[in-house]
Amino acid sequence: MEIFTYAGMIALLQVIGIDLVLAGDNAIVIGLAAAGLPKDQRTKAIFVGIIAATVLRISFALLTTQLLEIVGLLLAGGILLLWV
């Protein structure tokens, strides 16, 4: 699928929307982890946490797009979700 087509842009916007919704839980976890630290370390911990969360999210998105290119994997995942 080309990203510069209408369908590609819609898919990209959907992924960005989902990513923005799920970003809230990262902020809560980072805040909880940094709450007990001294002020100077807290700022560094929040910054490193945000960078790590961003890098991981991008990495997982790239991995997911590669996995979805495997023939039949999407069908197998759909079949596994039928019991839910």
Side-chain angles (χ1 to χ4, degrees):
M1 178 170 84
E2 288 290 323
I3 194 163
F4 296 112
T5 63
Y6 178 74
M9 292 305 276
I10 294 298
L12 179 64
L13 290 175
Q14 288 175 342
V15 169
I16 290 172
I18 291 168
D19 190 45
L20 289 174
V21 169
L22 294 176
D25 64 343
N26 286 344
I28 292 170
V29 171
I30 292 168
L32 286 171
L37 296 173
K39 177 89 171 134
D40 59 330
Q41 289 181 345
R42 186 179 317 143
T43 306
K44 291 177 188 176
I46 290 172
F47 181 72
V48 169
I50 290 170
I51 296 298
T54 303
V55 168
L56 284 172
R57 188 156 296 189
I58 290 170
S59 300
F60 290 146
L62 291 173
L63 177 67
T64 302
T65 57
Q66 294 298 314
L67 287 174
L68 287 175
E69 291 179 5
I70 297 174
V71 176
L73 188 62
L74 190 60
L75 176 64
I79 291 171
L80 286 173
L81 285 174
L82 284 176
W83 69 274
V84 175

